[in-house]
Amino acid sequence: MSDALVSPTVAAVAGAASLVLLGTAIRKLRPTETQPGDERIVPLMGVMGAFVFAAQMINFAIPGTGSSGHLIGGILLAAILGPWSGVLTLSSVLLLQCLLFADGGLLALGCNILNMAVLSCLVAYPLIFQPLMRAEASPVRIFTASILAATAGLGLGALAVTAETEASGITALPFGRFLLFMLPIHLAIGLCEGAATGAVLCAVRRYRPELLVDIRRQGTAGKHRTNRALAVIALAALLIGSSFSWLASSQPDGLEWSIERLTGMAEIETPDNTAHRTAATLQETTAALPDYNTSLAGLVGCGAILLVAWGGSRLLRTGHRDG
């Protein structure tokens, strides 16, 4: 979402809710006496965050619509990292996209975290994906769970965007018609995301099952084997990130497409008030690579996420020793 869709009040409520949930995720990540923690989780969060960041930069065309979509990655992250680590990782990706690349509004950041990270990792994953899975799930079951969960997550996100826009009351977008465009196009994107998620999870289960959260918690995966898997994922993220500009569709994404169908324009003019001006000024200050305006943007983003994960891993180890 851009800031043009969100009022300061809605932004404040969504931001506060997001902060509470992210604070909970951070607390669950820290080791305790009863829960020693997984020393590999932060590096794994880093490489998976870089992989999802790179994948999100590739917009794929939705046939017959004139629109495009991109992966969210919430179900994939939750299946590998667990729901709370997944929501923290995806939120970090959204924060980096917002601050470094001006992708998504700064005022709307809380809404974007709720719509994309929370609804997929903390709602669709535990309520739909997990109940459908089994210890020795077949590829058909993995694909079914992935498609249903991803489609539900995207549908809930589309509904949330429409509701937040309506609650903000700063646009002329009619709720019913806006939702009528948003839901079908995002359900189509969800089907594509679910198929891609199922393919990745089937490959992980076959070749690197130690990466999956349930198996990793059993402590049966060797450290060196896991390190090799982390290196492979990091390399894949860098390769995808370096080629995004050649693979991405130029068609408008689902939200832009829906707005264009209603207004004739893909973007809405941002309101001229103090909150929106301040957010825009701050974002202009932090956005070193606005709109991914260099072929190196993918590599820079992946590198930034890996660097943050490395720093987080060091802090986590230091805190564990001090405790």
Side-chain angles (χ1 to χ4, degrees), residues 113-144:
I113 288 174
L114 290 179
N115 302 343
M116 299 171 72
V118 172
L119 289 178
S120 58
C121 294
L122 300 183
V123 179
Y125 174 78
L127 295 182
I128 299 176
F129 185 90
Q130 277 190 310
L132 292 175
M133 293 300 291
R134 299 289 185 270
E136 296 297 330
S138 67
V140 171
R141 182 177 285 274
I142 293 173
F143 268 97
T144 300

Side-chain angles (χ1 to χ4, degrees), residues 44 79-81 204 208-213 216 226 229-230 233:
L44 186 55
I80 291 180
L81 303 172
V204 169
R208 287 291 185 269
E210 68 274 8
L211 294 179
L212 297 172
V213 60
R216 196 171 60 253
T226 302
L230 295 179
I233 298 172

Side-chain angles (χ1 to χ4, degrees), residues 93-314:
V93 171
L94 295 173
L95 178 63
L96 176 69
Q97 290 171 335
C98 176
L99 295 180
L100 187 58
F101 300 104
D103 186 3
L106 181 58
L107 198 65
L109 180 60
C111 291
N112 287 327
I113 288 174
L114 290 179
N115 302 343
M116 299 171 72
V118 172
L119 289 178
S120 58
C121 294
L122 300 183
V123 179
Y125 174 78
L127 295 182
I128 299 176
F129 185 90
Q130 277 190 310
L132 292 175
M133 293 300 291
R134 299 289 185 270
E136 296 297 330
S138 67
V140 171
R141 182 177 285 274
I142 293 173
F143 268 97
T144 300
S146 299
I147 290 172
L148 290 177
T151 303
L154 267 291
L156 288 171
L159 177 60
V161 169
T162 312
E164 289 156 359
T165 302
E166 177 71 10
S168 294
I170 60 175
T171 73
L173 298 175
F175 178 81
R177 291 183 61 203
F178 191 23
L179 185 62
L180 189 62
F181 285 113
M182 284 286 286
L183 274 181
I185 195 65
H186 282 88
L187 290 177
I189 295 170
L191 290 174
C192 297
E193 165 146 5
T197 299
V200 173
L201 290 179
C202 282
V204 169
R205 183 174 286 273
R206 180 173 181 178
Y207 297 108
R208 287 291 185 269
E210 68 274 8
L211 294 179
L212 297 172
V213 60
D214 294 335
I215 296 177
R216 196 171 60 253
R217 285 172 177 169
Q218 296 172 7
T220 57
K223 183 175 181 180
H224 295 295
R225 183 175 172 85
T226 302
N227 288 341
R228 288 197 298 270
L230 295 179
V232 169
I233 298 172
L235 179 60
L238 294 173
L239 288 175
I240 296 172
S242 64
S243 61
F244 83 96
S245 59
W246 291 277
L247 298 174
S249 170
S250 60
Q251 295 177 339
D253 64 25
L255 177 57
E256 295 169 340
W257 179 87
S258 299
I259 292 174
E260 189 172 10
R261 290 297 179 278
L262 289 172
T263 66
M265 300 177 294
E267 296 183 0
I268 295 177
E269 185 177 352
T270 303
D272 186 18
N273 58 49
T274 301
H276 284 84
R277 286 197 302 270
T278 302
T281 300
L282 288 174
Q283 196 169 32
E284 289 174 3
T285 302
T286 62
L289 299 172
D291 299 320
Y292 308 95
N293 58 4
T294 171
S295 59
L296 297 178
L299 292 176
V300 172
C302 290
I305 292 175
L306 292 172
L307 183 62
V308 169
W310 177 81
S313 180
R314 295 293 298 271

